Amino acid sequence: MDITKLIRKECKGFKPYVAGKPIETIKREMGLKSVIKLASNENPLGASKKALEAIKENLKEIFYYPDSNSYALKKGLSEHYRLGIGNIFTGAGGDEIIELIAKLFFNKEEEIVISRHSFIRYEMAAKLMGSKAVVVAMKDGFKHDLTAMAKACTEKTKAVFVTNPNNPTGTYNNKEELCKFLKDIPLNKAGLKPIVVLDEAYFEYASLEEDYPNGLDFLKENPNLIIFRTFSKIYGLAGLRVAYGFAGEEIVDYIERTRPPFNVNRLAQIGGAAAIEDKEQVAKSLELVREGKVYLYKEFKDLKIEYIKSAGNFILFNSSPYKGKEFFDALVREGVIIRAMD
């Protein structure tokens, strides 16, 4: 029996997302006792202490299903951002949020506009739904060309993804650029503006930049806007897989209808609700990253290594004359895991 005949054509030849290798794997494969992982932009300070305390207090309750509506987490986010609960939704990490959006909006033969060198999961989500990903080149300096992205929208365009700041380049678009972009997007064949998905996974780190825009400032005037953020980075909860998003109440209502029940586990909800008010975690993390970037920028300059200034907690640099994979292999033998961006 040829099982492949039963598989959707969109899934044939579909390449899986290649995640950064975990520390345990490298230790086992390389015979190393000590490994430093820099590949997945995790917080070296570890998890929010407030989150850890809340999780420990609730460990005995894990035999209960979680609250399918994530009420306590949404309430905490609502109070923190001063936004109605009806404008907030949650997901099992940013990856699930991207898929929830794709399943809700994307149809076959429709187009999704993305920027080259942005997060690969946008294109993967489009392909999974049979939509076409229209890839727009970046501006000099590896920055999203929002003007070109707006011009790339056609009557077939269903959505545009903007990562701000962008991973892996670390670049960002300022408030003026984002405002103009939202106004310039043309109407599609339905007579509506396409959905704009603003990925702000590194929002807290980028907030150090004076002209970095807060997506929430644009939400009220742009009913086609969806914003999402995560607890994986600055709050150190990557292993719990918990993220959240903002949108108009009608969009949130449909996301709530179509998402899986119990998609955010009990401990993730508890940890997120505690972490969102952990100001000490945020302050220490921001200072550590600021100091780290100052140090690394100086070392890169001294070694004449080309790099891009980053608004995130990571730096993209040119490993020439070595290819990224060659440089990765050399460093991993020394017990340091980076991300090759060939």
Side-chain angles (χ1 to χ4, degrees), residues 150-168:
K151 289 180 179 178
C153 293
T154 70
E155 63 175 16
K156 292 183 178 181
T157 304
K158 177 57 73 73
V160 186
F161 281 87
V162 178
T163 327
N164 208 33
N166 185 53
N167 174 18

Side-chain angles (χ1 to χ4, degrees), residues 3 59 72 106 156 160 181 184 190 242 258 268 272 276 292 306 310 342:
I3 295 295
L59 278 174
F106 302 172
K156 292 183 178 181
V160 186
F181 167 73
D184 288 349
V242 54
T258 54
I276 195 64
E306 184 184 8
S310 173
D342 304 78

